[in-house]
Amino acid sequence: MTAVQKKYNISVEATLEVIGGKWKCVILCHLTHGKKRTSDLKRLMPGITQKMLIQQLKELADDGIINRISYNQVPPKVEYELSEYGDSLKSILTMLCEWGETHIIKEYGDKYAVLEDSILNH
């Protein structure tokens, strides 16, 4: 049996297939600042459900964008970090953040009126 070759109309579809959706870029932005445990990410992203967070982390790991590091200890400890491949997304993530900030200022005037107080927003 021959494998079916996937076809894209435009290459950005492949990018969005991997990092698209509401949460993946947010997760990746947090991981650009270093390793995080699931509980750290949940605290930084209060709007995401635990189930959705785990699902998004699994998909990013399956796509090779992040590494899941499991420590053999009790209680179990798991951390996530950008992989070398995921690290190549940093410039894209920075540009998305910069564009979003410009958009917020255009729409709302004061970015701090709508942005949470976070290390990512300074």
Side-chain angles (χ1 to χ4, degrees):
M1 187 170 140
T2 309
V4 176
Q5 186 69 11
K6 185 158 192 161
K7 296 277 188 179
Y8 296 101
N9 291 312
I10 187 170
S11 56
V12 74
E13 290 178 51
T15 305
L16 292 174
E17 188 173 73
V18 176
I19 65 167
K22 182 175 180 179
W23 298 111
K24 287 183 179 176
C25 283
V26 179
I27 291 168
L28 294 172
C29 284
H30 285 298
L31 293 179
T32 63
H33 292 273
K35 291 179 189 174
K36 300 279 186 292
R37 295 177 74 165
T38 309
S39 58
D40 298 329
L41 290 166
K42 181 67 180 98
R43 187 176 58 257
L44 291 165
M45 303 165 55
I48 193 170
T49 64
Q50 185 75 11
K51 179 182 177 188
M52 179 60 71
L53 177 59
I54 298 299
Q55 178 186 328
Q56 301 293 281
L57 289 168
K58 182 182 181 331
E59 289 175 12
L60 288 166
D62 289 348
D63 287 329
I65 304 300
I66 64 172
N67 296 322
R68 181 182 189 273
I69 305 157
S70 185
Y71 297 90
N72 189 13
Q73 66 182 50
V74 177
K77 179 181 175 183
V78 176
E79 290 181 323
Y80 295 90
E81 67 180 0
L82 286 180
S83 67
E84 187 176 331
Y85 186 50
D87 211 44
S88 68
L89 289 167
K90 277 185 176 178
S91 61
I92 294 169
L93 296 168
T94 298
M95 285 189 271
L96 285 169
C97 286
E98 289 170 357
W99 188 90
E101 188 172 305
T102 301
H103 178 70
I104 288 170
I105 292 167
K106 175 187 171 290
E107 292 294 313
Y108 303 99
D110 178 13
K111 71 178 182 178
Y112 295 108
V114 294
L115 275 178
E116 293 287 338
D117 186 25
S118 162
I119 188 170
L120 296 180
N121 297 326
H122 295 288

